[in-house]
């Protein structure tokens, strides 16, 4: 029984890593829309941050089937989050787009 559980967990982990490394937005995602601009994607993350210029707001958009999209915050929150990430998570593999750099003012 334990061996079956271990194999199942290993299979789930492999599938999750495959999804994370080949991330894509679910076509049925109710928060994502075409005007959104990618800001940040983290290596090995289930979400990417997208900016909606119409509402001047940032959303955490799921890029693996097991995750759900959510509201992230406004630009002030994004800047605070980024500062915290820089100071506290030295191993974070953040990939900022040009738009993210522009919004952060760096």
């Amino acid at each position: 029984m334990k061996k079956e559980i271990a194999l199942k967990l290993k299979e789930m982990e492999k599938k999750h890593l495959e999804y994370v490394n080949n991330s894509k937005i679910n076509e049925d995602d109710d928060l994502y829309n075409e005007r959104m601009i990618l800001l940040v994607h983290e290596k090995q993350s289930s979400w990417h941050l997208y900016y909606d210029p119409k509402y001047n707001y940032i959303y955490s958009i799921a890029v693996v089937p097991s995750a759900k999209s959510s509201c992230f915050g406004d630009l002030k929150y994004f800047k605070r989050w980024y500062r915290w990430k820089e100071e506290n998570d030295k191993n974070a593999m953040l990939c900022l787009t040009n738009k993210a750099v522009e919004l952060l003012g760096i």
Side-chain angles (χ1 to χ4, degrees):
M1 183 79 161
K2 287 183 181 181
K3 188 175 182 177
E4 289 175 11
I5 293 172
L7 286 172
K8 186 73 171 171
L9 288 172
K10 196 75 164 169
E11 182 181 317
M12 288 171 61
E13 180 183 24
K14 182 181 174 186
K15 196 170 194 176
H16 181 75
L17 286 174
E18 182 181 317
Y19 281 134
V20 167
N21 290 322
N22 299 295
S23 57
K24 59 184 169 193
I25 297 169
N26 182 345
E27 296 169 358
D28 298 324
D29 193 307
D30 58 347
L31 286 180
Y32 178 79
N33 63 64
E34 294 297 321
R35 72 177 166 263
M36 288 186 163
I37 302 165
L38 178 64
L39 294 181
V40 178
H41 59 94
E42 293 183 69
K43 190 168 176 62
Q44 301 292 324
S45 176
S46 300
W47 298 270
H48 292 171
L49 298 181
Y50 279 82
Y51 174 65
D52 188 340
K54 180 177 179 181
Y55 297 108
N56 203 29
Y57 204 78
I58 298 163
Y59 296 87
S60 180
I61 302 297
V63 292
V64 297
S66 59
K68 299 291 181 209
S69 296
S70 64
C71 298
F72 185 77
D74 61 9
L75 291 176
K76 287 181 184 180
Y77 182 78
F78 177 59
K79 289 176 182 180
R80 284 195 317 268
W81 171 83
Y82 181 74
R83 279 194 307 268
W84 179 88
K85 207 65 160 152
E86 266 191 330
E87 293 170 4
N88 296 298
D89 195 356
K90 301 296 182 205
N91 295 324
M93 297 291 292
L94 290 179
C95 294
L96 301 177
T97 64
N98 291 339
K99 185 65 173 179
V101 170
E102 175 189 324
L103 293 172
L104 289 168
I106 54 176

